[in-house]
Amino acid sequence: MAEAGAGTPRGGDAALPCPPEEQELTRRLRRLYPAVNQEETPLPRSWSPKDKYNYIGLSQGNLRVHYKGHGKNHKDAASVRATHPIPAACGIYYFEVKIVSKGRDGYMGIGLSAQGVNLNRLPGWDKHSYGYHGDDGHSFCSSGTGQPYGPTFTTGDVIGCCVNLINNTCFYTKNGHSLGIAFTDLPSNLYPTVGLQTPGEIVDANFGQQPFVFDIEDYMREWQVKIQSTIKRFPIGDRLGEWQAMLQNMVSSYLVHHGYCSTATAFARITDTTIQEEQTSIKNRQRIQKLVLAGRVGEAIEATQQLYPGLLDHNPNLLFMLKCRQFVEMVNGTDSEVRCFGARSPRSQDSYPGSPSLSPRHGSNNSHVHSTGADSPTCSNGVVSMKSKQSHSKYPTLSSSSSSSSSSSPSSVNYSESNSTDSTKSQQHSSTSNQETSDSEMEMEAEHYPNGVLENSSTRIMNGTYKHEEILQTDESSMEDSCPQRQLCGGNHAATERMIQFGRELQILSEQLCREYGKNTVHKKMLQDAFSLLAYSDPWNCPVGQQLDPIQREPVCAALNSAILGKAWLLCECHPLDITFQGLSCVRQA
């Protein structure tokens, strides 16, 4: 969802006509970036009022940036990032900044930065930050030491920044003229960024609201011709069959990687190829991803530990990332570990009905469970636990509440040492027996199971040596819930206490990993960022509030999926076909 001031119409305003300038912006962005699905990966349209240092002021639809700090030295520098990162599907991306006033000293930087980079600095001074500075004309590539690059710029100049996602380079323009390559080997998911440092500095951004001074469309056409020429010159000849087989395997592995079960099966049948992973395994992987993307990370961890024993123990960095994300989701009120404390209502009676059953099958014991009063079982990640079965994990687990508590009071809950628990299935009244889903129902977009439960079936998967039963079920309706009320842990006191306890356990896990593997700056920052959310009365509108954005679940989901698949090329968390699409995206004509 676009942030306030981003200029995109909200769903509730669909009936209202778009202003002419908004229509023109939309048309221009579609023409420049036809391969971008703006519903899934929105384009930057303005500066973010949430992702900025407090010395930055925004106006004119969050397109004008002015400095409002003291400006005594470099410690008074301030930056702001755009509302969204540059989508990889752009191929080539461009924006311009007009210097309205250079202010006192003209200490201005224009460039790019990754999310989380310190905003109390000018672009380019820190790792994963890149900038072209106006006072000396130097380029700064993740370092406080600049390199001579171009001319200085001042009041009235228009500076453009072009990111070429095909070869991962960046160049700048000044008043419509290219200044040459400034940076190479750029990472992905960078945000347009601008920084100011002295009083009086004012700049205006153009993300497509107006025609650009530089002819970026001509540059895009040059690259289209270059890529098309390369494709035409590529030698195929007698190796046509070999290339076809390679492409078929690539497409097949892509479908399997992203969990498109029935499509992968149909493709394999048509092309006479073999799928190296059974449908049950693909579907279970798919559902784990859906849990993460729904903010139910605790349940995803439990499911992973049951379906793929030892996987997280052998990936401590991944485990810690998941636990930190679970803490963030607890703050958000979306993780079932805190949702199960909510008041009983049609959405949370006895147990959270949207939670999947994570227990192995016990013969034909699949009866309905009705819990009331003191006999009500305790809640484990939103799953009604009737028994507790500890698994021997190398690391203390944080997400499951033990069912051995003798009291229903949250303060007396004894949290078990295992994420893996045996739980009985919680089903609503239904006279319909569970049916095995057909191939057409296996796709993520079209799954449906009676009462959110799928009939169990044993399977042996070909992904590694894991054996498991198909035991993970999800409730589609709970996955599609609207955003929770913006209150800490959903506004529930018991849930807040549980979150604090979880945070203490997370700190212990961090210290244990530090003792075993040494200091890890990534872990330290991850933990600090997550805990920092508690320092603000409104975590969603604070300097670290971007962590609560649902889009931040995606890299966690990709990392977990990659670890489950266990393929070497998945270390980049991206399938080769995705990378191919990114490289060829600029070939597509408007």
Side-chain angles (χ1 to χ4, degrees):
M1 181 181 293
E3 298 189 39
T8 54
R10 292 187 289 259
D13 300 331
L16 299 176
C18 262
E21 58 272 16
E22 184 68 25
Q23 295 178 15
E24 178 61 27
L25 171 61
T26 300
R27 282 194 295 267
R28 184 174 288 109
L29 293 180
R30 285 176 179 170
R31 186 175 70 250
L32 289 172
Y33 316 111
V36 175
N37 182 336
Q38 295 191 52
E39 292 184 359
E40 295 181 359
T41 54
L43 287 158
R45 291 183 175 224
S46 67
W47 302 114
S48 171
K50 299 178 182 178
D51 201 10
K52 69 180 183 66
Y53 195 65
N54 54 14
Y55 288 168
I56 290 291
L58 300 178
S59 59
Q60 297 189 11
N62 293 334
L63 293 173
R64 171 161 289 188
V65 183
H66 66 271
Y67 182 78
K68 57 180 185 179
H70 304 294
K72 294 180 179 179
N73 52 47
H74 69 278
K75 294 182 180 180
D76 292 327
S79 293
V80 58
R81 276 186 282 269
T83 51
H84 300 286
I86 301 169
C90 285
I92 293 172
Y93 179 80
Y94 184 75
F95 71 99
E96 287 182 342
V97 173
K98 181 177 181 180
I99 314 303
V100 178
S101 172
K102 79 176 188 67
R104 191 183 72 198
D105 298 322
Y107 290 166
M108 300 171 288
I110 298 168
L112 310 158
S113 66
Q115 189 174 72
V117 172
N118 189 0
L119 291 171
N120 187 200
R121 309 268 284 168
L122 289 184
W125 285 353
D126 296 303
K127 187 176 181 180
H128 296 152
S129 179
Y130 310 86
Y132 169 35
H133 292 196
D135 61 303
D136 56 12
H138 287 186
S139 63
F140 291 77
C141 179
S142 302
S143 170
T145 304
Q147 301 295 326
Y149 171 65
T152 61
F153 51 86
T154 185
T155 303
D157 288 330
V158 176
I159 304 301
C161 179
C162 179
V163 182
N164 188 325
L165 296 159
I166 303 167
N167 60 9
N168 298 320
T169 62
C170 169
F171 70 87
Y172 289 89
T173 66
K174 179 180 178 181
N175 299 328
H177 300 285
S178 173
L179 301 177
I181 298 295
F183 309 114
T184 59
D185 300 320
L186 291 177
S188 57
N189 295 320
L190 293 176
Y191 290 70
T193 307
V194 67
L196 310 175
Q197 188 176 312
T198 62
E201 294 172 353
I202 304 172
V203 298
D204 284 346
N206 178 10
F207 294 104
Q209 284 82 2
Q210 303 293 331
F212 294 119
V213 176
F214 177 73
D215 192 349
I216 188 61
E217 293 185 73
D218 184 63
Y219 177 77
M220 290 177 171
R221 283 190 292 269
E222 289 179 7
W223 267 91
Q224 289 173 357
V225 171
K226 183 185 299 185
I227 292 177
Q228 288 171 345
S229 177
T230 301
I231 293 173
K232 289 178 181 178
R233 291 197 311 268
F234 190 84
I236 297 180
D238 297 335
R239 301 181 65 186
L240 177 60
E242 180 183 337
W243 292 117
Q244 284 181 333
M246 182 184 297
L247 288 173
Q248 288 170 356
N249 287 333
M250 184 179 288
V251 171
S252 178
S253 66
Y254 172 86
L255 295 172
V256 170
H257 172 63
H258 288 292
Y260 302 127
C261 237
S262 58
T263 305
T265 302
F267 184 81
R269 185 167 55 247
I270 293 172
T271 58
D272 195 25
T273 56
T274 303
I275 299 178
Q276 298 301 316
E277 185 180 5
E278 290 192 0
Q279 289 183 358
T280 302
S281 173
I282 299 173
K283 288 161 61 180
N284 282 324
R285 235 182 345 98
Q286 178 190 91
R287 293 178 196 130
I288 289 174
Q289 293 181 70
K290 292 173 72 176
L291 286 171
V292 175
L293 293 175
R296 292 157 60 181
V297 183
E299 295 173 58
I301 293 173
E302 281 196 13
T304 302
Q305 289 181 323
Q306 291 194 25
L307 294 171
Y308 308 99
L311 176 68
L312 296 180
D313 284 343
H314 291 93
N315 289 271
N317 290 336
L318 175 61
L319 175 64
F320 190 77
M321 178 195 296
L322 287 166
K323 295 294 186 182
C324 286
R325 187 66 217 176
Q326 185 180 2
F327 180 85
V328 172
E329 296 299 346
M330 292 173 81
V331 174
N332 221 355
T334 51
D335 190 80
S336 298
E337 185 76 8
V338 295
R339 290 186 69 163
C340 69
F341 286 103
R344 299 193 177 193
S345 66
R347 289 296 298 166
S348 58
Q349 291 181 352
D350 302 322
S351 70
Y352 178 56
S355 300
S357 170
L358 302 178
S359 62
R361 183 178 56 177
H362 298 284
S364 60
N365 182 15
N366 194 23
S367 60
H368 296 237
V369 177
H370 304 283
S371 305
T372 58
D375 296 329
S376 177
T378 57
C379 200
S380 175
N381 278 331
V383 181
V384 178
S385 300
M386 303 302 293
K387 297 179 181 180
S388 179
K389 177 181 177 182
Q390 292 191 358
S391 64
H392 299 285
S393 176
K394 182 178 180 182
Y395 303 106
T397 56
L398 318 176
S399 63
S400 294
S401 304
S402 173
S403 61
S404 60
S405 172
S406 60
S407 169
S408 60
S409 170
S411 62
S412 63
V413 175
N414 176 31
Y415 300 102
S416 81
E417 289 297 312
S418 173
N419 272 324
S420 179
T421 61
D422 284 344
S423 309
T424 61
K425 296 181 180 178
S426 175
Q427 297 180 330
Q428 299 173 350
H429 290 288
S430 172
S431 60
T432 305
S433 62
N434 296 326
Q435 301 293 329
E436 186 70 33
T437 56
S438 64
D439 285 348
S440 63
E441 293 172 322
M442 292 176 185
E443 297 296 343
M444 183 180 297
E445 299 87 352
E447 286 182 342
H448 175 72
Y449 310 106
N451 295 326
V453 179
L454 176 67
E455 182 179 341
N456 287 326
S457 61
S458 298
T459 184
R460 178 190 180 111
I461 65 173
M462 300 176 66
N463 179 28
T465 59
Y466 298 122
K467 293 181 180 180
H468 63 78
E469 297 181 19
E470 187 177 344
I471 57 177
L472 178 59
Q473 299 85 25
T474 58
D475 179 357
E476 293 293 323
S477 63
S478 70
M479 291 294 192
E480 298 172 359
D481 280 350
S482 58
C483 293
Q485 294 182 354
R486 296 166 78 90
Q487 299 181 38
L488 193 68
C489 297
N492 184 283
H493 180 68
T496 303
E497 289 183 346
R498 173 58 191 136
M499 176 201 63
I500 293 173
Q501 175 64 25
F502 185 93
R504 295 192 184 106
E505 296 166 357
L506 185 56
Q507 177 66 40
I508 294 173
L509 175 61
S510 174
E511 293 169 357
Q512 178 180 342
L513 293 175
C514 186
R515 287 193 298 270
E516 292 186 16
Y517 300 100
K519 293 183 178 180
N520 189 315
T521 56
V522 175
H523 286 186
K524 182 178 179 181
K525 186 177 189 310
M526 206 180 295
L527 197 64
Q528 286 178 342
D529 287 347
F531 287 172
S532 294
L533 291 168
L534 303 185
Y536 301 90
S537 59
D538 183 2
W540 291 267
N541 293 291
C542 74
V544 292
Q546 70 274 7
Q547 296 177 85
L548 298 169
D549 190 329
I551 199 173
Q552 299 307 317
R553 300 167 184 163
E554 294 181 6
V556 178
C557 178
L560 179 56
N561 187 47
S562 298
I564 293 173
L565 285 169
K567 301 289 181 66
W569 48 259
L570 285 173
L571 293 175
C572 63
E573 300 172 10
C574 188
H575 190 276
L577 204 56
D578 290 315
I579 300 173
T580 304
F581 288 151
Q582 294 170 15
L584 295 177
S585 61
C586 76
V587 177
R588 181 175 171 179
Q589 300 294 330

